[in-house]
Amino acid sequence: MKQMLGAVAGALAASPLMAADLPARKAAPVEYVRVCSTYGAGFFYIPGTDTCIRVGGRVRYEFQLQTPYTRNDDTTGTRGLGRLYADTRTETEYGLLRAFVRVDVARRNGAIYSGTATRIGNAFTGTSVDYNGTAQTQVVLDRAFIQFGGLTAGRTQSFFGFYQGDLEWVGITAGQSSLNDLTNVLAYTATFGSGFSATLAIEDPVEARNAIATAVAPAPGLVPTYAYTGSGAPDVVGLLRYDASWGAAQVSGALHQVRVGEQTALASGVTPQGFTPSTEYGYALNAGVKFNLPMIASGDALYLQGTYTHGASSYIMGNYFGLGKAAGWGIGGVGNVGMPDAVVAGAAPGDLKLTSIWGLTAAALHYWTPTVRQSLFGTYMAVDFSNSAFYAANGFSFAFNGNNPYRDWRYWGIGTNLIWSPVANLDIGAEVNYVRANAGQGGVFSTISTDPPNWIRKTGDQVIGRIRIQRDF
């Protein structure tokens, strides 16, 4: 054995092949992630490209306490929300190319349950008796759009709004709300210089529908009901905006097609007769101004806004009222008033009587310290129905009818929130709101089950408080 090992060692020692003579392998080049400072903090280059990307998200917890009216009403509620987004940007010879996507997933229970989210297809609710109508999971494609030069295409906020409840949590003010104004859009924005810009957009008309009410005099054996029918013309939205160091100002308008058809016949054994009221066009107008107030404190601002709609209710209904039903709005005992886009009135097939709504909003933001800020906001809104709609829903009678939801009514609210940010991107705060509704034409029968039968209420109010803890990253 010793002789064999010696022979092998001798052969290796005599061999001219050395380690230095072996072929060398080159290590693959390492491409480190590079920071992209062009678009602000958080962006980096996607390796191998000239595209910058930022990935981030949000986690939020909310607890709500509100006035109940019966034992069955929710007094408290909670929401847990998670958000993820990706923002990519590339400079091209034609200008900026941007793609942005953001998804929110939330669990909403009790007082924060959203009937609107279920009605418009953004959430699914529990089905058992203990969960139906009080527990839901919401999945929202909040943003998914491409920007190329002045072109915007995809899913994002409507271009109609200006102040969209930006300083609020519950969302009580009149005007298009950032919480329920998502739409699919194709838009072009032209920049003229000196702070002026203009946008023309076509937006999905289905997203802007509220509801159609039926108050048609029945034909023999037939009581038709009506609703929006197949999607026809898109909503057309235009705006003119001015931005300056002192703030910003904007005027905008929207054209909305009210196209309805007969959906069902309530009379037993009777099929729909195809009654179709003539198509009408509703519209919305908005004017808003923002004043920056650095002379008070850095970041302070004041918003003033006025909105008018005729047959286009979704452009003024804040998050407090939501979307997707003709009646059953209101507050407390005044809980069966209407905000439909239109009421079909008269003899079948009936005429579309468009609903008019106008509202005023003011909101202010103040920084008490760099880490403590407070918002204060207030609103007033008036809902007006035509006499034809009111009397049709009243059975064409001049006698009082407390069940008639299509009466004029008024709404106002005020709220404030206080937020502490002990570290960057962490908010801890509380908000309180007071809202009130006043029903016209003699009031309505109370919707509070513990009230006596046919009890008439002309006013209803509610206090809503909410706590929020939120972390952005």
Side-chain angles (χ1 to χ4, degrees), residues 279-293:
T279 296
E280 299 284 349
Y281 283 86
Y283 60 90
L285 302 171
N286 190 77
V289 61
K290 174 189 177 185
F291 298 99
N292 295 325
L293 305 173

Side-chain angles (χ1 to χ4, degrees), residues 74-118:
D74 291 309
T75 303
T76 64
T78 63
R79 171 164 54 180
L81 178 143
R83 165 180 290 180
L84 291 175
Y85 72 84
D87 186 357
T88 66
R89 306 187 191 188
T90 308
E91 286 295 335
T92 75
E93 58 183 307
Y94 302 99
L96 177 68
L97 172 60
R98 182 188 186 197
F100 185 89
V101 61
R102 186 165 74 194
V103 177
D104 289 347
V105 180
R107 180 66 173 180
R108 307 171 65 140
N109 295 328
I112 305 184
Y113 177 93
S114 171
T116 292
T118 300

Side-chain angles (χ1 to χ4, degrees), residues 77-275:
T78 63
R79 171 164 54 180
L81 178 143
R83 165 180 290 180
L84 291 175
Y85 72 84
D87 186 357
T88 66
R89 306 187 191 188
T90 308
E91 286 295 335
T92 75
E93 58 183 307
Y94 302 99
L96 177 68
L97 172 60
R98 182 188 186 197
F100 185 89
V101 61
R102 186 165 74 194
V103 177
D104 289 347
V105 180
R107 180 66 173 180
R108 307 171 65 140
N109 295 328
I112 305 184
Y113 177 93
S114 171
T116 292
T118 300
R119 287 190 296 272
I120 69 175
N122 276 347
F124 56 90
T125 184
T127 57
S128 79
V129 66
D130 296 312
Y131 290 89
N132 186 29
T134 195
Q136 68 183 167
T137 297
Q138 185 173 12
V139 181
V140 177
L141 181 61
D142 188 69
R143 299 286 190 278
F145 63 83
I146 298 167
Q147 290 180 317
F148 183 51
L151 181 72
T152 300
R155 186 162 185 81
T156 186
Q157 285 178 272
S158 168
F159 280 86
F160 177 82
F162 180 70
Y163 173 77
Q164 297 174 286
D166 306 298
L167 305 180
E168 308 164 42
W169 300 348
V170 174
I172 65 168
T173 56
Q176 197 177 44
S177 168
S178 61
L179 300 173
N180 61 13
D181 72 336
L182 296 177
T183 187
N184 301 328
V185 61
L186 177 63
Y188 184 79
T189 299
T191 302
F192 305 117
S194 300
F196 286 96
S197 63
T199 299
L200 182 64
I202 55 173
E203 301 183 355
D204 194 302
V206 175
E207 304 283 5
R209 294 175 174 179
N210 184 25
I212 303 297
T214 301
V216 172
L222 179 67
V223 182
T225 60
Y226 296 89
Y228 273 102
T229 188
S231 177
D235 282 22
V236 180
V237 175
L239 69 88
L240 180 64
R241 184 180 175 99
Y242 176 69
D243 290 276
S245 59
W246 58 263
Q250 178 178 300
V251 292
S252 58
L255 185 67
H256 174 69
Q257 186 186 61
V258 185
R259 182 171 181 263
V260 307
E262 186 187 358
Q263 297 296 309
T264 60
L266 301 184
S268 176
V270 179
T271 58
Q273 302 299 303
F275 293 137

Side-chain angles (χ1 to χ4, degrees), residues 12 24 56 58 71 87 130 144 160 188 226 247 287 293 296 310 328 359 361-362 366 372 389 399 406 429 471-472:
L12 291 174
R58 168 178 291 172
R71 184 176 178 82
D87 186 357
D130 296 312
F160 177 82
Y188 184 79
Y226 296 89
L293 305 173
I296 301 176
H310 184 64
T361 292
H366 173 61
V372 178
Y406 309 121
R471 166 75 160 122
D472 291 304

